[in-house]
Amino acid sequence: MDIYLVGGAVRDGRLGIPVKDRDWVVVGATPEAMKHRGFRQVGADFPVFLHPKTGEEYALARTERKQGRGYHGFTVYSAPDVTLEEDLKRRDLTINAMAEHEDGTLVDPFNGLTDLAQKTLRHVSEAFAEDPLRILRTARFAARFHPLGFTICADTMALMREMIGSGELQHLVPERVWQEVQRALHEQSPTVFFKVLHELGALDILMPELADTERFEAGLQALECISTQNSTTAQRFSALLSALPEPEARARAIAMKSPNDCRDLTRLVCLFTDWLSQYTDSTLPPEAMLEMFDHADLWRRPERFEQLVTALACTPYKQHVGPLNSAAESARDVSPQELLKQGFKGKELGNAIRNERLGRITLALAP
Ligand code: ATP
Ligand code: MG
């Protein structure tokens, strides 16, 4: 059997950037031979194994044939006669389809090295069209390597447009889309991912509420700002959707099956921007602010509130962030224990807490 390093590790090695994890392809072997050497098979009928010592993934060379629509319906063929070239041909981009033999020689039938030098993202073959997830992966690599000067070549853009035109994106399950979106939000230039999808017309299908030019531009600006900071997925996602009306943003976050923290923060960011948009030239009214603090559950979720204001600082309403912060800080200082000691009970205690908070907010907002 012959063993080759493949995919991202070869690409990143040649780019001179740190290699995260290494994937290997094994040619001329059977599952039995692998197990005999101590490899552990992952999954029942998938020819992927884990190295007994390093835990790295070793896949038997395989070909994939598309049978139906969407991601399901791939048949995998793996046998000792599958060549390395056949395995590389089913991969997405030429820069991801290079292999390095244990002895160091590069196997590069699709000229990935040239594309690497020319900073080009190019599909390996027409088989690219068999998996619509590759559109999202390509946009994500464009986002990752944008600072290095990489762009998607015209042929690949055209092929992706064709795929989208024939309705391929509709067959992706939300979980797979979310996984790519989540990763894209943490790439080097997250906005490039969404720009590519917008340009391809993919956003009309995946996040139609965001496709409108004004909302899109505003969302991208907010994302650009928040992604220069050490921010969470929830902050990045909510910044992206920050120009949408709250009901639309919430519905999209749910439809995309984003995790709860993303849904919650998106809802809050949009609730706040909807509210703040009324006060572009004036100060915020204390009563309404207290109500918004209640919505955000500032009292029990101070860290989330912190995430919220940091995201708001990336929207057109950033002038309100200073007052929001100082009012929140003062209002949070109200001690229910103190008021309890003073003899307030039950409903009266609730009212006293409220009045005290309102007083402090008013004071914090006074010029
Ligand atoms: P990363 O640095 O994000 O790990 P990677 O290129 O290693 O990048 P992986 O998702 O780890 O990406 O996949 C490993 C390799 O498998 C890729 O380089 C590519 O050759 C191939 N690959 C993964 N997913 C697909 C896909 N959906 N279609 C075609 N080839 C794929
Ligand atoms: Mg990888």
Side-chain angles (χ1 to χ4, degrees):
M1 62 175 79
D2 279 301
I3 298 178
Y4 299 86
L5 184 64
V6 283
V10 179
R11 177 198 65 218
D12 293 346
R14 300 274 161 169
L15 275 175
I17 61 179
V19 171
K20 278 184 301 174
D21 47 26
R22 300 191 298 174
D23 295 304
W24 306 85
V25 162
V26 186
V27 181
T30 59
E32 291 66 40
M34 295 299 285
K35 282 181 241 172
H36 189 72
R37 290 195 175 194
F39 283 85
R40 269 191 305 118
Q41 184 156 7
V42 200
D45 29 46
F46 224 61
V48 177
F49 300 81
L50 297 183
H51 191 280
K53 289 224 180 70
T54 64
E56 291 177 340
E57 272 191 18
Y58 287 68
L60 297 189
R62 64 181 193 255
T63 59
E64 281 165 6
R65 248 330 115 54
K66 174 115 163 210
Q67 297 271 296
R69 306 208 90 188
Y71 190 60
H72 305 286
F74 268 103
T75 49
V76 174
Y77 174 76
S78 155
D81 66 339
V82 175
T83 64
L84 178 61
E85 182 159 339
E86 284 172 324
D87 179 284
L88 295 176
K89 194 173 174 188
R90 68 169 172 87
R91 293 170 185 269
D92 49 5
L93 301 171
T94 60
I95 63 165
N96 293 342
M98 298 184 281
E100 225 171 75
H101 193 262
E102 282 176 309
D103 69 13
T105 48
L106 186 74
V107 182
D108 181 21
F110 304 102
N111 301 312
L113 202 56
T114 308
D115 284 335
L116 211 57
Q118 295 179 347
K119 304 178 191 301
T120 301
L121 302 172
R122 184 195 312 278
H123 62 283
V124 169
S125 79
E126 296 305 306
F128 183 96
E130 292 176 359
D131 180 6
L133 191 81
R134 291 170 187 158
I135 298 171
L136 299 180
R137 283 179 56 89
T138 302
R140 189 157 61 74
F141 283 112
R144 181 184 303 182
F145 294 132
H146 176 76
L148 298 181
F150 277 77
T151 54
I152 304 168
C153 76
D155 286 353
T156 302
M157 286 298 279
L159 178 60
M160 294 196 290
R161 276 205 186 87
E162 244 174 68
M163 292 165 70
I164 294 162
S166 61
E168 279 295 314
L169 283 177
Q170 272 93 333
H171 301 285
L172 281 176
V173 297
E175 288 82 357
R176 297 190 84 211
V177 175
W178 174 257
Q179 191 180 33
E180 288 300 319
V181 167
Q182 190 269 334
R183 288 176 179 163
L185 288 169
H186 291 277
E187 294 290 3
Q188 287 290 323
S189 303
T191 57
V192 170
F193 176 80
F194 297 99
K195 279 183 199 157
V196 168
L197 295 183
H198 192 46
E199 197 182 330
L200 289 170
L203 225 45
D204 299 295
I205 294 151
L206 299 173
M207 304 175 80
E209 303 83 357
L210 191 62
D212 162 79
T213 310
E214 217 168 287
R215 291 172 174 190
F216 180 72
E217 296 295 337
L220 246 55
Q221 235 175 52
L223 176 58
E224 181 79 47
C225 161
I226 198 86
S227 63
T228 60
Q229 304 169 41
N230 182 12
S231 46
T232 63
T233 305
Q235 283 178 305
R236 290 167 185 230
F237 186 60
S238 57
L240 177 69
L241 297 187
S242 61
L244 268 55
E246 187 269 334
E248 285 184 48
R250 178 171 37 162
R252 179 49 46 199
I254 292 171
M256 292 183 78
K257 301 209 173 166
S258 67
N260 284 335
D261 62 331
C262 291
R263 296 181 194 188
D264 288 348
L265 197 64
T266 299
R267 183 180 58 84
L268 286 176
V269 165
C270 294
L271 215 56
F272 270 72
T273 51
D274 285 351
W275 174 60
L276 293 173
S277 66
Q278 307 167 61
Y279 305 103
T280 42
D281 301 315
S282 53
T283 51
L284 303 168
E287 288 267 0
M289 192 183 281
L290 179 58
E291 206 177 298
M292 294 305 285
F293 286 169
D294 282 336
H295 276 309
D297 199 5
L298 164 66
W299 330 112
R300 280 184 302 178
R301 305 291 307 272
E303 9 36 73
R304 188 179 65 182
F305 187 82
E306 166 87 38
Q307 286 201 19
L308 167 65
V309 285
T310 315
L312 291 173
C314 285
T315 71
Y317 312 110
K318 53 174 164 287
Q319 89 261 23
H320 291 306
V321 165
L324 274 173
N325 268 331
S326 47
E329 213 173 296
S330 314
R332 272 185 54 206
D333 274 349
V334 172
S335 158
Q337 280 79 10
E338 201 56 44
L339 292 165
L340 208 59
K341 266 194 229 154
Q342 289 174 27
F344 291 104
K345 278 196 215 81
K347 199 166 176 243
E348 269 189 7
L349 177 63
N351 284 337
I353 294 173
R354 204 190 125 76
N355 285 335
E356 190 64 24
R357 282 172 178 165
L358 192 59
R360 302 223 187 169
I361 292 173
T362 310
L363 207 63
L365 293 180

